[in-house]
Amino acid sequence: MSPESETSGGLKTELTLGLPGELQVQKSGIKRGFCEVVDLKLVNNSKSESQPSSKTQVVGWPPVRSYMKNLVRNCKYVKVAVDGAPYLRKIDLEIHSSYQDLLTGMGDLFTCLTICNVLNERKLMDSANGEEYVPTYEDKDGDWMLVGDVPWKMFVESCKRVRLMKSSEAIGLGAAAPSTPSKGSSTGC
Amino acid sequence: MHSFHSMLNYFPEEVLEHIFDFLTSHRDRNAVSLVCKSWYAVERFSREKVFVGNCYAISPERLIARFPRVRSLTLKGKPHFADFNLVPNDWGGYVQPWIESIVRGRVNLEELRLKRMLVSDESLELLATFFPNFKSLVLVSCEGFTTDGLAAIASNCRFLRELDLQENEVEDRRGQWLSCFPDSCTSLVSLNFTCLKGEVNLASLERLVARCRNLRSLRVNNAVPLDALQRILAQAPQLVDLGTGSFVHDPDTESYNKLETSMQKCTSITSLSGFLDVSARCLPAVYPICGQLTSLNLSYAPGIYSDELVKLICYCNRLERLLVLDTIGDKGLGVVASSCKELQELRVFLSDVYGIGNTAVTEEGLVAISAGCPKLNSILYFCQQMTNEALIMVAKNCPNFIRFRLCTLNPTVPDAITMQPLDEGFGAIVKSCKDLKRLSISGLLTDQVFLYIGRYAKQLEMLSIAFAGDSDKGMLSVLNGCKKLKKLEIRDCPFGNVALLADMGKYETMRSLWMSSCEVTFGACKTLAQKMPRLNVEIINENDQIEASVDDKQKVEKMYLYRTLVGPRKDAPGFVWTL
């Protein structure tokens, strides 16, 4: 005879319920399935910032096919920091097809920045103070690199995060754009 | 009545056979073959399509002996819960012995449809070598083969009409399998290789499409870029079903503009899917065909958010089938409800699989859909929370559900407002939806919900239960009440030996029963196996235990039992014990 609960059709008395969506569960002698299998704190709907690191995953729940789970990994989100801005944004590199497309995307993301044409190059500028921003990134080896040197796919593969650096601080990186030295305009710089 | 039956028996067999030709469903044919011996004989010689719901229920030899003229075979292997990593990979479901028998039996096989089976390159090579008339290969959720096997099919099946690969795990051997279709191959009607991860030769693909003038359905993988898609569409404006590849491109370019033009010319496309890599800014290319779509699958596109999804969907007024991720949100579902009045099937999948805390949908979205889409009959809904009130309203709005599958992120979450179990809500669903065939329940549920299911779900064929119920009474209600039950799968429920052994004969009327992490013991399983020789009772033991050392009182982790005419299977791996 399997262990029975005394409560008739109602809630198990050993469950302690908090706010809607928040469930604190306790282990009990009676097998209640999920409560015993996992000891976890669920995040309520207003999303707390820190995830409990002890969150255990129940095998096979939620019931999502591994095929679908693997698809989620096709996003490549990287943090984008802008010098002087108080918070970071995230951008999905996978949905961009080229450096130009990425630049457009970043212009969309940071509304204070616009894309201007400077010397036949598209650059990100702060329209308020005329400051130009140079996209740099940290690669897999932890080195900070100028965006645009390597083929696009290689960049997507190796980029861990992006920083839009004020060009006034980007001294020594060989000017604001990788190809400017050899592409001098007829009027010079 | 009696004289009418006698008359029918005096008809020559050819007439009976001609009448049976009109019966396409295997259930009808099964019914007809039970009427009398002569009908059984006529039916078996005329049956060309055979459906086997469990490949271990029968042997290929017996099948061929009964249906020597079989041309199309459908086989299903692993239990459904294998989809969620509850069944080890090498559990079984091999197609090789079937193909070997079919070769030996000199069957003229033209069509093979497999689901959750293990398929090897060798099997595919056998198919390609021995069946010159082979026309159609459909593989769903299978694995074990590589692109080399596909190359064999492409090279040798000269009259191939259909190669449909859905959500399989295929190893890429970089062998240019698609280029193996000879120039003489012009018969393709349907080609789907979305699930392949590797590159294909784009020029070969374009040439293949150009010469197959009957091509109606094409679903490519995300190694096919947008500009190649444009060239393909230009060659195949007759397509009815399109699965895009990578849909990422700078929209300010000429090739994107060309795509828009080519897309506009595809006035026959009614089904659209793919979007494995997609940039929201490219979606407008698809707007011109939205008004013709009856089926739209955006469930592979996690990067598209609600606003952009909605912009697309609001044009899809003829939509009957929609698959999306929960990024659509409740508001987005509201737009679906007001735009898609013909909607019959909706699936809302989970985008946040790892529980990072992104948006999901709630009961509001479901209620909106039920109110706006009166033709809704099939739903799969992953949601953050649910309420009884919502389910009751849904039941009232949509009494026509045949499939109702609800999955709450927290499997034991109560009614979000009242904190009560969701028994009443699901009870309303089964009471209202008299034609319900498939049901998955989740949330906080007691024995009461099973009382309702047993009492009202009279047409139910498949039931999936997890973390629900209080006692054996729950399972007993279902076994006693659901007369048409075929598949029952249960995990993490307090159902035990009393329920399992109450009506052992019931399992012979069903295809299979799965129970994992329940209260069933070894002793009970052994009893069942002993009393019912036409059932295989399999225990999956992943703990390296020896069978002899197990105590009868010990609980069984995973049990899978199914009816069979051919006794214990001989290919069971070491961790599967057939009692």
Side-chain angles (χ1 to χ4, degrees), chain A residues 4 11-12 23 31-32 34 42 45 47 58-63 65 67 69 71 73 77 95 101, chain B residues 84 141 167 278-279 281 300 305 350 353-354 357 382 384-385 409-410 419 444 467 471 491 517 519:
Chain A
E4 305 267 351
L11 294 170
K12 286 284 185 273
L23 187 65
K31 178 161 186 170
R32 194 56 187 89
F34 189 61
L42 290 169
N45 284 349
K47 282 174 266 227
V58 177
V59 173
W61 198 271
R65 298 204 50 241
Y67 184 83
K69 274 193 200 172
L71 286 179
R73 294 203 191 111
Y77 278 100
I95 65 166
D101 205 21
Chain B
F84 316 128
S141 304
E167 301 198 347
V278 54
S279 162
R281 284 177 300 132
Y300 298 144
Y305 293 104
L350 205 55
V353 182
Y354 297 102
F382 280 87
Q384 181 103 322
Q385 63 184 52
L409 288 182
N410 171 356
M419 293 311 175
L444 186 66
F467 302 101
S471 74
R491 63 164 292 183
S517 305
E519 304 286 317

Side-chain angles (χ1 to χ4, degrees), chain A residues 62 64-77 92 94-95, chain B residues 197 222 275-277 298-305 325-327 349-356 358:
Chain A
V64 177
R65 298 204 50 241
S66 19
Y67 184 83
M68 296 290 276
K69 274 193 200 172
N70 292 339
L71 286 179
V72 173
R73 294 203 191 111
N74 265 340
C75 286
K76 175 120 196 228
Y77 278 100
D92 181 3
E94 288 285 350
I95 65 166
Chain B
K197 300 189 189 94
N222 67 343
F275 302 105
L276 300 133
D277 269 335
L298 293 165
S299 64
Y300 298 144
I304 305 285
Y305 293 104
L325 291 171
D326 58 9
T327 44
F349 292 99
L350 205 55
S351 61
D352 177 22
V353 182
Y354 297 102
I356 307 166
N358 294 336

Side-chain angles (χ1 to χ4, degrees), chain A residues 71-116:
Chain A
L71 286 179
V72 173
R73 294 203 191 111
N74 265 340
C75 286
K76 175 120 196 228
Y77 278 100
V78 295
K79 292 181 190 172
V80 184
V82 177
D83 282 354
Y87 56 84
L88 280 62
R89 298 298 303 267
K90 268 197 164 168
I91 207 166
D92 181 3
L93 295 180
E94 288 285 350
I95 65 166
H96 294 283
S97 54
S98 65
Y99 286 116
Q100 295 303 326
D101 205 21
L102 177 67
L103 209 70
T104 310
M106 291 201 289
D108 288 345
L109 204 57
F110 294 99
T111 47
C112 53
L113 301 177
T114 50
I115 298 179
C116 302

Side-chain angles (χ1 to χ4, degrees), chain B residues 247-267:
Chain B
F247 216 72
V248 173
H249 209 277
D250 195 335
D252 299 321
T253 59
E254 199 193 319
S255 45
Y256 182 80
N257 292 336
K258 277 199 206 164
L259 175 73
E260 287 182 304
T261 314
S262 299
M263 193 70 83
Q264 273 172 339
K265 299 215 176 98
C266 294
T267 54

Side-chain angles (χ1 to χ4, degrees), chain B residues 40 44 47-55 57-75 98 101-102 107 109 565-566:
Chain B
Y40 177 91
R44 70 177 258 254
R47 194 181 308 205
E48 293 185 340
K49 287 193 182 179
V50 181
F51 170 83
V52 179
N54 173 5
C55 64
I58 190 67
S59 71
E61 291 76 30
R62 284 181 63 165
L63 186 143
I64 296 167
R66 180 174 170 190
F67 302 116
R69 302 238 176 91
V70 57
R71 294 223 198 145
S72 162
L73 181 61
T74 301
L75 291 172
W98 285 85
S101 292
I102 291 171
V107 167
L109 192 72
L565 293 175
V566 291

